[in-house]
Amino acid sequence: MITADRQTGYPSIDKPWLKYYSEEAVNAPLPECTMYELLWQNNKCHLEDIAINYYGRKISYGEMFDGIERTAKSFSKLGVKKGEIVIICAVNVPEVVYALYALNRLGAIANMVDPRTNIDGIREYILESDTRLIMTIDLACSAIEKASKDTMVENIMVVSPADSLPPVTGILYRLKAKAPQIRENLMRWKDFDAIGTGVIPEYVPYVKDTCCVIAHTGGTTGLPKGVMLSNDNINAVTHAYRYLNIPFERKQRYFNDLPPFIMYGLCLGIHTTLCYGLEVILYPIFDSRRFPKLFVKYRPHHFSAVADHLKYLSIDKHTRNLKLDFLISPGVGGDGLDYNLEEYVNQFLSAHGCKFEVYKGYGLTELSATAVSAFAGANAIGSVGVPLITNTIKVMDPDTRKELGYNETGEIWISGPSVMLGYYKNPEETEKMIITDERSIRWIRTGDLGRITEDGLLFHEGRIRRIYLTTHEGQPAKIFPMLIEGALKKSAFVRECSIVGRKRNGSDCYEAAAFVVLNNPDLDHTPIVEELNRICTDDLPAYMIPAEYYFMKELPHTLIGKLDFCKLEEMAGKSAVNRSCAHDI
């Protein structure tokens, strides 16, 4: 293992996390090839192994490469050239894997779009990228057709989840789902798949720092920004996973229900796992509640999910008596994992024979997904782990932009080879997001708060934009939601909670509103509110004590499993100010 030579007091210089990595890891060269080339190099001698398990239909690596080849020929027949942007608006089906790597071979750009995007949003994507070809899932076909009217779109390739299903299951799906009517510019996947017969595509060699994927940010305000990522960006993350103490081994099973239009799903759930020769259980429906039943069915060695997957896994009847000695890496990303839930899930895993704890991760679309990860030996309750071997992190004072020392909270900045090329057609926002220092190192400003310990572990402490400005005794002050949440979770009554800010009546200043899920929802709320206020009074300044409590059966989440803070802020904003009042929702 590597040890730091000096202790300057600044994590980005000391790099204490290097002690978790070997000399080989530190000195290993980054891959210089396309995504497809890395996939081929790692699997060309193992073509009989299973690459994709789709509802029980097992597709070998050899069959997958054949599918990529046919898809590349079909795209080539339709005139796809180097640099052209093709929209992929679909869920986890094998055809998405074929299309992603086929476009990569042709030097084209896959623009990964969420099928739930509204018609105006899809149209904006089409117009800004001059798109003429779209691949879509059948359920989104109607919206795609409407959005593409009077645009440059020439062909829409429609894939159905049934196209790669086992025969009987496929028939049942088609009986339930109404197939779109095929018109002049609509093409069923089987017809698209056939048009490339005899075509000899012009494959494009690797060129450094060339965009190959456009992914999109969360889009909580306005239209999401298009994040331009290169082969180098995505391959750097895949490269770094090799040196985490997570034993990925060929033929192990990995469950992936993370959609391909988020980088966590594309980079880790598809590219990294396939590059390491795993059997990827490809599931098209992202559903935390359904996950335990699927987990029991497929018994994966690895999965990466959101906190709700872990929660339901640990309480579901299907897993109550299941022995988990086969499970190697139960991974979680997205929002930070609640301390209490993390401890509970770790106890559940241990009691059921799993030798490993929950592995957390942290990253952004702008960093090609994972930038920080926990693993055996670099894991602590509440932390998200240490930087990938390719990355450097530092914590900055948001106001002065000066680096802070150990255990000081500030904005997390990250540098490394996975930093995006920039936002598509948006240089102004790119300049705000990427800061180039005096040594020409490019840093991503994450907008997240965190601190780094002397051991190199990063603790994520919330979003900067979730810091709410207020006043107290005539002086400016700041409300930190995670501090309040930590206080409330000390109560044995509280199972989950979330804090948002709302405007004080007749003021531009904020006050805290608490949304609480109780362990026993049938209890009288009055003594609970009294206890919560007592805890907050002891632990927090007066201006952070919640003005109002909302008791809920469940906190709202977005469609990809993250806490829906916008929904909570909307709910809190509609309520009249009444300090320490409790409401049932």
Side-chain angles (χ1 to χ4, degrees), residues 164-182:
S164 288
L165 285 176
V168 174
T169 312
I171 292 171
L172 293 175
Y173 176 89
R174 288 188 172 93
L175 288 174
K176 292 180 180 180
K178 184 179 179 181
Q181 185 179 353
I182 297 304

Side-chain angles (χ1 to χ4, degrees), residues 124-321:
E124 184 65 28
Y125 290 141
I126 293 170
L127 293 174
E128 75 173 359
S129 59
D130 296 327
T131 295
R132 64 183 190 86
L133 298 178
I134 299 175
M135 171 186 175
T136 187
I137 199 76
D138 53 6
L139 298 176
C141 185
S142 177
I144 293 289
E145 278 196 284
K146 293 173 183 175
S148 60
K149 187 177 180 181
D150 298 324
T151 69
M152 293 179 61
V153 173
E154 298 172 5
N155 290 102
I156 300 170
M157 289 76 73
V158 184
V159 63
S160 165
D163 287 338
S164 288
L165 285 176
V168 174
T169 312
I171 292 171
L172 293 175
Y173 176 89
R174 288 188 172 93
L175 288 174
K176 292 180 180 180
K178 184 179 179 181
Q181 185 179 353
I182 297 304
R183 288 177 282 279
E184 185 178 356
N185 69 331
L186 257 60
M187 190 181 302
R188 289 193 179 95
W189 186 261
K190 67 176 182 179
D191 299 321
F192 168 74
D193 190 56
I195 65 171
T197 303
V199 173
I200 301 176
E202 183 179 339
Y203 294 130
V204 175
Y206 162 79
V207 177
K208 188 174 178 60
D209 294 333
T210 300
C211 181
C212 66
V213 168
I214 296 176
H216 297 274
T217 57
T220 52
T221 57
L223 193 69
K225 296 183 285 290
V227 177
M228 296 187 295
L229 299 170
S230 68
N231 291 290
D232 309 277
N233 295 150
I234 296 169
N235 283 342
V237 175
T238 298
H239 164 85
Y241 263 88
R242 184 180 300 278
Y243 300 102
L244 300 179
N245 192 11
I246 301 175
F248 279 163
E249 293 184 10
R250 182 170 292 279
K251 297 185 180 182
Q252 290 176 343
R253 295 180 300 278
Y254 177 96
F255 183 85
N256 179 33
D257 67 348
L258 298 166
F261 47 81
I262 63 171
M263 279 310 296
Y264 195 19
L266 188 154
C267 185
L268 177 58
I270 293 176
H271 185 57
T272 298
T273 51
L274 289 174
C275 281
Y276 290 142
L278 274 63
E279 176 184 326
V280 178
I281 300 158
L282 205 61
Y283 194 72
I285 303 168
F286 183 86
D287 188 341
S288 298
R289 292 179 182 272
R290 193 179 303 186
F291 174 65
K293 188 174 182 180
L294 295 166
F295 180 86
V296 172
K297 177 180 178 180
Y298 290 107
R299 297 171 66 87
H301 300 95
H302 310 272
F303 67 83
S304 297
V306 296
D308 268 4
H309 280 61
L310 292 176
K311 179 177 75 174
Y312 290 116
L313 182 71
S314 63
I315 64 175
D316 193 273
K317 64 180 181 180
H318 294 91
T319 57
R320 194 169 297 155
N321 300 312

Side-chain angles (χ1 to χ4, degrees), residues 310-311 314 341-350 358:
L310 292 176
K311 179 177 75 174
S314 63
L341 178 59
E342 183 177 354
E343 289 184 329
Y344 179 81
V345 172
N346 280 339
Q347 291 169 5
F348 167 81
L349 294 173
S350 177
V358 174

